[in-house]
Amino acid sequence: MATHNAKELRKQVAPYESSNTKDSIIQIINTIIPFLVLWFLAFQSIEISYLLTLGIAVFAAGFMIRIFIIFHDCTHHSFFKNRTANKVVGTLTGVLTLFPYSQWGHEHSVHHATSSNLDKRGTGDIWVLTVDEYMAAPMWQKLAYRMYRNPFVMFVLGPIYIVLITNRFNRKGARMKERMNTYLTNVLIFGISGLMIWAIGWKAFVMVEGPIFFIAGMFGIWLFYVQHTFEDSYFEADKDWEYVRAAVEGSSYYQLPKVLQWITGNIGYHHVHHLSPRVPNYKLEEVHKNTKPLQNVPTITLSTSLTSLKFRLWDEQNKQFISFKEMKVYKQNSKLTPQTKPEL
């Protein structure tokens, strides 16, 4: 993408980079109230049938994902114009979703600033190795990488690890304000959980909160995964990396059915979000529809997104993700290819 085109694109998106207080409040109401009602109904249904409880938990998990999108916008200071309002709402929604506002906000900002940059991987992103890096890695690292990229580890164990370990401790080098926010979040989570356990019993609490958290966490990681892991994505070394190209070509447009689009807070328009994190979630679709260059981006659907599960390594030579099976063919071909002798 030419520099002048990139500047023009960001100029077209700029008018949408402001929140509407009324729309933000409406979104809080139509998200958090249904979540609390569904939580209560799930609890009441335990005595009727736990299968019914699990069914209600699926819907509640959907609203928890939507709460996370509000939290996510607050960390970008795009949900309200006032930074204090973003911090307060972000911290409270972080308690509901079990994420510390300041800590996650810092890591996510780094993710936006370094997404698809091969020389700046490791913060707020999914572990990606190139083919050459994997082939040169020691056996223990190859094993660790294969375990990490295993769907069971990533989508089943991943949410548990993130919530119970990563989110409960401060990162190294965190400033005092960030540390205090994590402590406050933990105190509120444990306090509210303790109060709920006292009111309804630990068993009922776990039977309701457990599946809601697990389902929401699993699909939350899936959303993040498919938004950056698709065949013809964008990765470049720092010297060739461009922010706008990384946003538009390295983030997908996840075309979801309208119901799922609403539940996920339009986060499927991830290319728009990465181009301008200051656009609130309820304006992402509008930006996509009114900005022609953004309509010609990598698009995936529910069915085509499943192919992302096989992508494991980034092939720098062909600029695409490949599977471990394809990597073996790549390795065999590189062994069979004779070295070209220099001309005399």
Side-chain angles (χ1 to χ4, degrees), residues 24 34 40-41 76 83 106 125 144 148-149 160 177 229 242 264 277 291-292 324 338:
S24 295
F40 177 74
L41 291 176
H76 284 297
R83 290 180 71 90
H106 169 82
D125 55 11
Y148 177 93
R149 303 289 296 201
I160 299 172
K177 284 186 178 180
T229 309
E242 298 174 26
T264 58
T291 313
K292 279 193 174 182
F324 284 128

Side-chain angles (χ1 to χ4, degrees), residues 222-223 227 253-262 264 266-269 300-302 305:
W222 168 252
L223 283 170
Q227 286 160 349
Y253 165 35
Y254 199 6
Q255 196 172 42
L256 295 169
K258 282 296 182 181
V259 173
L260 292 180
Q261 180 185 322
W262 187 85
T264 58
N266 297 310
I267 202 62
Y269 296 96
I300 58 176
T301 63
L302 279 177
S305 66

Side-chain angles (χ1 to χ4, degrees), residues 31-32 35-36 39 60-75 89-101 104 159-160 162-164 167-168 185-186 188-189 192-193 209 212-214 216-218 220 263:
T31 301
I32 294 180
F35 171 76
L36 295 176
W39 207 105
F63 279 93
M64 180 176 274
I65 292 172
R66 190 167 162 83
I67 292 172
F68 182 84
I69 298 302
I70 294 174
F71 162 84
H72 165 264
D73 274 15
C74 287
T75 64
V89 173
T91 298
L92 293 177
T93 51
V95 171
L96 290 175
T97 56
L98 310 179
F99 276 79
Y101 170 80
W104 192 85
I160 299 172
I162 290 172
V163 167
L164 297 184
N167 286 354
R168 303 285 66 85
T185 301
N186 287 341
L188 289 174
I189 289 173
I192 294 172
S193 298
E209 181 68 13
I212 292 175
F213 141 72
F214 182 74
M218 183 171 62
I263 284 293

Side-chain angles (χ1 to χ4, degrees), residues 144-246:
Y145 186 73
R146 280 181 174 270
M147 288 180 63
Y148 177 93
R149 303 289 296 201
N150 181 283
F152 178 80
V153 174
M154 184 173 290
F155 302 115
V156 178
L157 299 182
I160 299 172
Y161 174 78
I162 290 172
V163 167
L164 297 184
I165 300 176
T166 305
N167 286 354
R168 303 285 66 85
F169 298 94
N170 281 300
R171 64 182 179 86
K172 186 178 180 181
R175 295 182 177 181
M176 182 56 67
K177 284 186 178 180
E178 182 180 320
R179 291 179 178 276
M180 293 305 295
N181 183 265
T182 301
Y183 297 147
L184 174 63
T185 301
N186 287 341
V187 168
L188 289 174
I189 289 173
F190 292 128
I192 294 172
S193 298
L195 185 62
M196 292 294 293
I197 290 171
W198 173 79
I200 67 175
W202 70 268
K203 188 175 181 180
F205 177 77
V206 171
M207 290 175 73
V208 175
E209 181 68 13
I212 292 175
F213 141 72
F214 182 74
I215 295 168
M218 183 171 62
F219 281 99
I221 292 178
W222 168 252
L223 283 170
F224 187 80
Y225 176 82
V226 298
Q227 286 160 349
H228 295 284
T229 309
F230 49 95
E231 189 171 10
D232 299 316
S233 187
Y234 172 89
F235 280 91
E236 289 289 352
D238 189 52
K239 62 183 179 65
D240 299 316
W241 182 84
E242 298 174 26
Y243 178 86
V244 173
R245 285 196 65 190

